[in-house]
Amino acid sequence: MYNHKKEFDWQTTLEFVKQSTYKILHKRNANKIEDDKCIRCGKNEIESWEHIWICEVNEFSIDEIVQEPIYRFEQQLKNCNQDEDINILRNYNIEFISILESPSIILRGKSKKWELIRGVYNEHFNSLSNKKEEKMLIKRLWMFVYDEIKNRLWIPRCEEIKRLEEKANIQKLDLRKKRESRRKFGGRQGRKNKK
């Protein structure tokens, strides 16, 4: 609905998948999820999609992760002797960061880096250049930054959640049991009421 200005490149965006937070699991009434609070920081904070990325337990901030990968990506290009790509990258790295820091039209009150976190490839990246090889390099940089966020924030968060759930004796099966039993019971109850 908000994409009337063609802010999103949906083809690239749909390559990415979202994961559940404790807020969602609690709302779904998952077994053994007693509340929607973040179990990592121990604060009285709801573990929403936003809290995952700004939680004080995170080793890195989003800003650190968004800015550092450009240098790492350049090093990767250098190691592969891709000098032409390095020159292209240097021509667009400031504009790339500027797009990420600019306000999102879709996610009100957030910058476009929050779109990237959600796996949304903004059309503004495609408009940086008309040349196919330059567009591809910009897309590769975007994916590199996305992977950095996933590897430095999301995966450590998931590993820590898994460790804390194991410590609390919560297994993946427990996260589904209550919902499945509610569905079965609700189905039988619904048939009884019809009779």
Side-chain angles (χ1 to χ4, degrees), residues 99-148:
I99 290 171
L100 288 177
E101 294 297 333
S102 66
S104 171
I105 292 173
I106 310 303
L107 302 172
R108 308 284 179 186
K110 302 281 184 209
S111 65
K112 287 183 176 73
K113 66 185 162 200
W114 284 90
E115 295 174 0
L116 182 141
I117 289 168
R118 290 182 173 267
V120 175
Y121 191 81
N122 193 291
E123 189 62 36
H124 283 91
F125 294 112
N126 287 334
S127 62
L128 287 176
S129 174
N130 292 326
K131 296 180 181 175
K132 185 178 179 180
E133 64 276 1
E134 292 181 357
K135 282 186 176 198
M136 288 306 298
L137 184 70
I138 292 164
K139 190 177 277 193
R140 281 176 53 205
L141 173 59
W142 185 93
M143 288 195 247
F144 188 87
V145 174
Y146 181 88
D147 285 341
E148 285 283 300

Side-chain angles (χ1 to χ4, degrees), residues 44-180:
N44 208 15
E45 297 280 336
I46 293 173
E47 193 202 52
S48 62
W49 183 256
E50 183 174 342
H51 179 77
I52 287 171
W53 307 106
I54 61 172
C55 183
E56 64 184 42
V57 174
N58 294 338
E59 188 175 343
F60 304 99
S61 73
I62 297 168
D63 291 329
E64 288 174 310
I65 294 174
V66 166
Q67 302 220 357
E68 290 173 6
I70 293 176
Y71 171 75
R72 290 184 190 180
F73 186 65
E74 185 175 322
Q75 289 303 114
Q76 187 181 66
L77 295 173
K78 192 175 191 176
N79 293 340
C80 296
N81 296 319
Q82 296 177 327
D83 295 332
E84 284 181 44
D85 286 345
I86 291 171
N87 290 331
I88 294 169
L89 177 66
R90 288 180 178 166
N91 286 334
Y92 292 107
N93 62 10
I94 292 171
E95 285 125 329
F96 183 87
I97 291 294
S98 294
I99 290 171
L100 288 177
E101 294 297 333
S102 66
S104 171
I105 292 173
I106 310 303
L107 302 172
R108 308 284 179 186
K110 302 281 184 209
S111 65
K112 287 183 176 73
K113 66 185 162 200
W114 284 90
E115 295 174 0
L116 182 141
I117 289 168
R118 290 182 173 267
V120 175
Y121 191 81
N122 193 291
E123 189 62 36
H124 283 91
F125 294 112
N126 287 334
S127 62
L128 287 176
S129 174
N130 292 326
K131 296 180 181 175
K132 185 178 179 180
E133 64 276 1
E134 292 181 357
K135 282 186 176 198
M136 288 306 298
L137 184 70
I138 292 164
K139 190 177 277 193
R140 281 176 53 205
L141 173 59
W142 185 93
M143 288 195 247
F144 188 87
V145 174
Y146 181 88
D147 285 341
E148 285 283 300
I149 289 171
K150 183 175 73 177
N151 292 330
R152 294 172 71 188
L153 277 176
W154 181 254
I155 291 174
R157 174 259 178 196
C158 291
E159 289 170 351
E160 179 66 3
I161 291 290
K162 182 181 177 195
R163 186 187 71 74
L164 292 169
E165 286 176 347
E166 285 173 355
K167 187 177 175 182
N169 204 24
I170 299 172
Q171 299 173 358
K172 278 193 174 191
L173 184 60
D174 293 326
L175 300 176
R176 296 186 196 122
K177 278 183 190 173
K178 192 180 279 186
R179 186 176 66 216
E180 289 172 3

Side-chain angles (χ1 to χ4, degrees), residues 2-77:
Y2 292 121
N3 199 31
H4 64 280
K5 291 186 179 181
K6 297 192 177 185
E7 285 280 315
F8 292 162
D9 175 344
W10 288 113
Q11 185 174 353
T12 302
T13 297
L14 293 175
E15 296 171 15
F16 299 92
V17 179
K18 302 296 160 279
Q19 301 289 328
S20 293
T21 65
Y22 263 66
K23 180 180 179 182
I24 292 169
L25 290 172
H26 180 65
K27 187 176 179 181
R28 289 180 184 166
N29 205 16
N31 198 28
K32 291 195 177 182
I33 304 301
E34 311 236 337
D35 60 37
D36 55 3
K37 306 300 182 232
C38 177
I39 64 172
R40 293 185 307 144
C41 66
K43 302 274 183 194
N44 208 15
E45 297 280 336
I46 293 173
E47 193 202 52
S48 62
W49 183 256
E50 183 174 342
H51 179 77
I52 287 171
W53 307 106
I54 61 172
C55 183
E56 64 184 42
V57 174
N58 294 338
E59 188 175 343
F60 304 99
S61 73
I62 297 168
D63 291 329
E64 288 174 310
I65 294 174
V66 166
Q67 302 220 357
E68 290 173 6
I70 293 176
Y71 171 75
R72 290 184 190 180
F73 186 65
E74 185 175 322
Q75 289 303 114
Q76 187 181 66
L77 295 173

